[in-house]
Amino acid sequence: MATSLKIDDALKARVQDLAAQRRRSPHWIMLEAIRQYVDREEARESFRQEALASWSAYRETGQHLTGQEARDWLRTWGTDDEGAVPECHE
C-alpha cells in the first residue's frame, strides 16, 4: 500500500542525513521508525489491557500479592534459588 507523508524540511533533512550515515534509504529509515513506534505502542496497550484485567480480577476476588512479595520473588529470577510464583491471597 502506498502512503504519502508530509514532513517539514528540517525532519526530511534529518532523515536523509541518518539514512546516509546508516547506508540505508530514507524510505527504510521511515519504515523502521514507524514499525518501532507501532510495536512500542502495541506493547504499551497490551500492558494497559493486562493491568485493567488484573484490577478487575482483584476487585472481584480480592486476591493479590503485596509489592514486597512480588519483589522478593523477582529477586530470585535467574538464580539457582529461583522461586515458584507465589500464591495470591486476600
Side-chain angles (χ1 to χ4, degrees), residues 25-51:
S25 69
H27 178 260
W28 187 93
I29 297 291
M30 290 185 283
L31 279 177
E32 185 63 19
I34 293 168
R35 187 176 298 112
Q36 286 182 22
Y37 175 82
V38 170
D39 287 349
R40 184 177 61 244
E41 291 304 309
E42 286 174 340
R44 188 174 289 164
E45 182 59 23
S46 177
F47 178 79
R48 190 179 83 79
Q49 291 299 322
E50 186 177 333

Side-chain angles (χ1 to χ4, degrees), residues 7-69:
I7 59 176
D8 61 50
D9 291 339
L11 182 55
K12 183 177 180 179
R14 290 172 61 197
V15 169
Q16 289 173 334
D17 289 345
L18 186 58
Q21 292 168 7
R22 299 292 185 261
R23 297 178 189 221
R24 298 283 189 170
S25 69
H27 178 260
W28 187 93
I29 297 291
M30 290 185 283
L31 279 177
E32 185 63 19
I34 293 168
R35 187 176 298 112
Q36 286 182 22
Y37 175 82
V38 170
D39 287 349
R40 184 177 61 244
E41 291 304 309
E42 286 174 340
R44 188 174 289 164
E45 182 59 23
S46 177
F47 178 79
R48 190 179 83 79
Q49 291 299 322
E50 186 177 333
L52 290 172
S54 293
W55 175 243
S56 179
Y58 168 73
R59 288 188 316 199
E60 290 175 17
T61 67
Q63 296 289 305
H64 69 284
L65 292 177
T66 66
Q68 188 61 53
E69 290 166 333

